[in-house]
Amino acid sequence: MKVIVTENFNESCKLVAERIATIVKEKPTAKLGLATGGTCEDIYKNLIDIYKKENLDFSKVHTVNLDEYIGLDPENELSYRYYMNNHLFNHINIDKANTYVAGGIGDVDKIVEEFRSKVSENGAPDFQLLGIGVSGHIGFNEAGDKLHSLAHLEDLQKSTIKANSRYFEDESMVPRKAITMGVGEICSAKEIYLVATGESKKNAIEGLIMNPYVTTQNPSTILKLHTNAVVVIDKALADLVGYKY
Ligand code: GLP
């Protein structure tokens, strides 16, 4: 696992967007694992800028998203399907039929089955983008006694519900369950970029980059086992956790 420290969050977003653009240029049929959350919004803005400036071609790109809330339909503005359309897919020449965000409504067992097959369909993702939750979750794989390798239904932790309540009218409106790619599937990607910024991510990032241990209590630490994982943080966060660069 490699750590890159940037001047500031804008630089982090630029760097990651440029990496995604390079992958798409080199392999127009690339399969990208994508993420949601506030952190990724600016990465997508940068990617759209590159798309416009350089005529980047997404027409043959396939994407699969990390997770979705249970109970929100795709038209719901707080669903991750809506987020992806709104922040990326509506602004580039991707064929929406080539994009997959697990459904939040319907038979969960069937969705899980479909999700698992989408992750492995036509080989592993070439790239996986990740944010990180306050307790170190990736996708919606929450800290606990065990981690799931494959896509599954997850109960969201209080800290996650609280952190994500900023998008909802109030905390009681945040879904209590989500469907998420498992950590084994996340790690099947050929290359992974995890991006973090801000004080709220201090503990999670400390656990990820300041010691050599892997623990289910901080799911992001599984990335230490991946040979091509990159953690992108800004100087402010690096200083906060005492990482020397
Ligand atoms: C959600 C998503 C994660 C994301 C995390 C952090 O819980 N399921 O994939 O990494 O939020 O989001 P933010 O970037 O808004 O802090």
Side-chain angles (χ1 to χ4, degrees):
M1 198 183 71
K2 187 170 129 188
V3 179
I4 297 179
V5 179
T6 64
E7 238 0 88
N8 53 48
F9 180 56
N10 280 345
E11 291 302 314
S12 298
C13 293
K14 220 171 125 201
L15 182 145
V16 179
E18 279 165 5
R19 182 64 202 133
I20 299 173
T22 301
I23 290 168
V24 172
K25 274 180 221 162
E26 286 174 0
K27 186 177 177 188
T29 58
K31 179 171 171 184
L32 306 175
L34 297 179
T36 53
T39 311
C40 296
E41 288 179 21
D42 284 347
I43 296 173
Y44 295 141
K45 268 189 204 144
N46 277 272
L47 190 57
I48 294 165
D49 283 349
I50 302 174
Y51 162 77
K52 286 182 182 156
K53 274 191 209 130
E54 303 183 19
N55 283 325
L56 199 58
D57 184 14
F58 284 90
S59 63
K60 295 190 194 73
V61 167
H62 283 70
T63 69
V64 54
N65 256 78
L66 278 175
D67 45 20
E68 180 59 286
Y69 287 117
I70 290 294
L72 302 190
D73 68 67
E75 270 82 50
N76 189 312
E77 292 184 16
L78 295 163
S79 73
Y80 285 165
R81 163 50 80 180
Y82 190 95
Y83 171 113
M84 287 311 301
N85 289 347
N86 191 32
H87 290 290
L88 184 64
F89 300 151
N90 288 347
H91 309 281
I92 58 176
N93 71 332
I94 200 160
D95 180 351
K96 287 222 185 85
N98 294 342
T99 69
Y100 181 77
V101 183
I105 297 275
D107 182 332
V108 174
D109 290 341
K110 273 201 187 129
I111 300 169
V112 165
E113 201 181 310
E114 179 187 68
F115 197 172
R116 290 177 181 182
S117 75
K118 287 285 176 186
V119 181
S120 59
E121 195 175 79
N122 303 317
D126 294 287
F127 177 89
Q128 179 65 57
L129 176 63
L130 294 177
I132 188 168
V134 286
S135 60
H137 75 218
I138 48 177
F140 268 130
N141 293 280
E142 297 282 32
D145 293 340
K146 55 181 189 282
L147 293 172
H148 292 252
S149 176
L150 301 177
H152 63 282
L153 183 67
E154 185 92 16
D155 289 314
L156 300 183
Q157 287 184 351
K158 277 195 185 136
S159 60
T160 301
I161 292 168
K162 192 164 185 275
N164 291 2
S165 66
R166 66 191 196 276
Y167 296 109
F168 293 80
E169 246 170 69
D170 64 72
E171 214 172 297
S172 68
M173 309 286 278
V174 185
R176 269 34 187 176
K177 287 179 191 292
I179 190 165
T180 180
M181 211 185 267
V183 292
E185 291 166 329
I186 290 174
C187 286
S188 74
K190 293 171 193 149
E191 181 176 356
I192 303 178
Y193 270 57
L194 181 147
V195 190
T197 187
E199 262 183 66
S200 67
K201 306 294 168 69
K202 179 177 179 275
N203 289 345
I205 291 298
E206 210 161 40
L208 178 58
I209 67 173
M210 296 304 286
N211 68 57
Y213 312 119
V214 175
T215 167
T216 58
Q217 298 304 325
N218 179 340
S220 73
T221 59
I222 197 91
L223 298 185
K224 294 178 197 189
L225 305 177
H226 196 281
T227 50
N228 200 8
V230 181
V231 178
V232 183
I233 53 171
D234 44 59
K235 276 185 177 171
L237 184 51
D239 290 342
L240 213 56
V241 302
Y243 181 79
K244 300 276 169 272
Y245 45 90

